[in-house]
Amino acid sequence: MSVRFRATCEESGFAENFDALTGEGLRDRAYAWTAGAYLLLAGEVESPATPRR
Protein backbone atom coordinates (compact mmCIF):
# COMPACT_ATOMS: atom_id res chain seq x y z
CA MET A 1 0.00 0.00 0.00
CA SER A 2 2.87 2.37 0.79
CA VAL A 3 4.42 1.95 -2.65
CA ARG A 4 1.11 2.56 -4.45
CA PHE A 5 0.22 5.58 -2.31
CA ARG A 6 3.63 7.19 -2.83
CA ALA A 7 3.50 6.51 -6.58
CA THR A 8 0.05 8.11 -6.78
CA CYS A 9 1.31 11.19 -4.95
CA GLU A 10 4.35 11.43 -7.20
CA GLU A 11 2.15 11.22 -10.28
CA SER A 12 -0.90 13.23 -9.18
CA GLY A 13 0.45 15.50 -6.45
CA PHE A 14 -0.51 15.74 -2.79
CA ALA A 15 -4.25 16.04 -3.33
CA GLU A 16 -6.82 15.85 -0.54
CA ASN A 17 -8.13 12.63 -2.06
CA PHE A 18 -7.81 10.60 -5.24
CA ASP A 19 -10.13 8.98 -7.76
CA ALA A 20 -10.10 5.26 -6.90
CA LEU A 21 -10.12 4.16 -10.53
CA THR A 22 -7.79 6.63 -12.23
CA GLY A 23 -5.58 7.88 -9.39
CA GLU A 24 -6.34 11.47 -10.42
CA GLY A 25 -5.89 13.95 -7.60
CA LEU A 26 -9.16 15.52 -6.47
CA ARG A 27 -9.97 18.69 -4.53
CA ASP A 28 -7.09 20.55 -2.89
CA ARG A 29 -3.85 19.72 -4.78
CA ALA A 30 -1.53 20.74 -1.92
CA TYR A 31 -3.01 19.01 1.10
CA ALA A 32 -0.76 18.94 4.17
CA TRP A 33 -2.04 15.63 5.59
CA THR A 34 -1.34 13.83 2.32
CA ALA A 35 2.16 15.29 2.20
CA GLY A 36 2.74 14.32 5.84
CA ALA A 37 1.63 10.73 5.22
CA TYR A 38 3.89 10.57 2.16
CA LEU A 39 6.90 11.76 4.18
CA LEU A 40 6.26 9.24 6.96
CA LEU A 41 5.93 6.36 4.50
CA ALA A 42 8.95 7.47 2.48
CA GLY A 43 10.98 7.75 5.68
CA GLU A 44 10.16 4.14 6.55
CA VAL A 45 11.55 3.06 3.19
CA GLU A 46 14.73 5.11 3.55
CA SER A 47 15.46 4.09 7.15
CA PRO A 48 13.39 1.16 8.39
CA ALA A 49 12.72 1.09 12.12
CA THR A 50 15.00 -1.00 14.25
CA PRO A 51 13.22 -4.21 15.27
CA ARG A 52 12.12 -4.29 18.90
CA ARG A 53 13.47 -7.00 21.14
Side-chain angles (χ1 to χ4, degrees), residues 2-3 6 8-9 13-15 19 21 24-25 27 32 37-38 43 48-51:
S2 172
V3 172
R6 289 182 291 113
T8 299
C9 290
F14 298 106
D19 182 288
L21 299 176
E24 176 188 5
R27 304 187 198 268
Y38 177 92
T50 304

Side-chain angles (χ1 to χ4, degrees), residues 5 8-9 12-19 23-35:
F5 175 77
T8 299
C9 290
S12 298
F14 298 106
E16 181 177 359
N17 49 39
F18 301 91
D19 182 288
E24 176 188 5
L26 305 172
R27 304 187 198 268
D28 186 352
R29 301 290 180 145
Y31 205 63
W33 286 106
T34 305

